[in-house]
Amino acid sequence: MEKKEIRNQVISLLKSLNGEQKEKQEEILMKTLFGTSEWKRANVIALTLAQKLELDTNKIIEKAWSEDKIVVIPRTKKDRKMDFVIYKKDTPIEVSSFGLREPARHLIAIQKSDIDLIIVPGVAFCETGFRIGFGGGYYDRFLTDYEGETVSLVLNEQQVEPFKVDSFDIPVNLLITTEKIIRKIK
Ligand SMILES: Nc1ncnc2c1ncn2[C@@H]1O[C@H](COP(=O)(O)OP(=O)(O)OP(=O)(O)O)[C@@H](O)[C@H]1O
Ligand SMILES: [Mg+2]
């Protein structure tokens, strides 16, 4: 199956997932995340303000703040690039042309090398750590010269069989499913 077909299939599965089932899974995934050494060691954590369909990142943000970690969130730029800005309770948020909530344009971005751990979003994931995002290539571009840790939290509906990856696709180091943790051998 092509990436696009898998993406569409998983999106419709996610749309039909009821809130209670989703929350149950999210609870397991987050608990697992908070127990990893990657989480414990990270001071600066990058994640997105999720759309309704995606894993709800609000609880991760609250947990990070409660542990005095710094949360950074992405802002899309031209040429399908993005940068990250520190996110606090009073950070002004704008809605991008894609309908995503992003930090306001005037805020200053942090450096890529300052990020310890990126919670990489996506639509579908396979056990090798390869992922299918929303098709913009934003994360594939950003991760090319990123040297920190990457992790994805995978709902059962998002687990797929290995698919044909492209040369520019970049897998995450750590995959968390409701059943297990899969670490990429470095
Ligand atoms: N490093 C890169 N440099 C230039 N173009 C890239 C790079 N990585 C990906 N692309 C382009 O991005 C497009 C989308 O790629 P892909 O379908 O893998 O997106 P995705 O992984 O679903 O998206 P995302 O990374 O935003 O989650 C491709 O057409 C590809 O040509
Ligand atoms: Mg890709």
Side-chain angles (χ1 to χ4, degrees), residues 2-14:
E2 298 269 333
K3 270 187 190 173
K4 205 168 134 189
E5 288 174 70
I6 301 172
R7 184 181 288 123
N8 289 337
Q9 215 172 62
V10 173
I11 287 177
S12 54
L13 275 179
L14 289 173

Side-chain angles (χ1 to χ4, degrees), residues 3 7 131-133 135-140 163 166 168-170:
K3 270 187 190 173
R7 184 181 288 123
R131 51 179 282 285
I132 297 175
Y138 285 92
Y139 278 87
D140 287 323
F163 50 88
D166 292 304
F168 49 79
D169 283 325
I170 297 181

Side-chain angles (χ1 to χ4, degrees), residues 2-82:
E2 298 269 333
K3 270 187 190 173
K4 205 168 134 189
E5 288 174 70
I6 301 172
R7 184 181 288 123
N8 289 337
Q9 215 172 62
V10 173
I11 287 177
S12 54
L13 275 179
L14 289 173
K15 279 184 180 157
S16 63
L17 177 65
N18 82 45
E20 205 178 315
Q21 288 170 336
K22 184 162 172 269
E23 274 173 41
K24 261 196 195 135
Q25 293 190 49
E26 285 171 343
E27 210 169 294
I28 299 168
L29 297 174
M30 288 180 201
K31 209 174 158 199
T32 309
L33 171 69
F34 302 148
T36 63
S37 56
E38 285 83 353
W39 171 269
K40 289 177 187 164
R41 275 201 300 261
N43 180 38
V44 179
I45 298 192
L47 45 67
T48 56
L49 300 182
Q51 296 172 263
K52 197 164 182 290
L53 199 72
E54 301 176 283
L55 181 115
D56 181 3
T57 53
N58 278 312
K59 289 202 183 85
I60 306 178
I61 295 170
E62 293 293 341
K63 176 80 168 170
W65 284 342
S66 78
E67 295 181 4
D68 289 326
K69 295 181 190 292
I70 295 167
V71 174
V72 299
I73 58 170
R75 176 172 60 187
T76 54
K77 301 199 298 184
K78 61 173 175 11
D79 301 329
R80 298 196 170 185
K81 290 201 169 143
M82 60 182 179

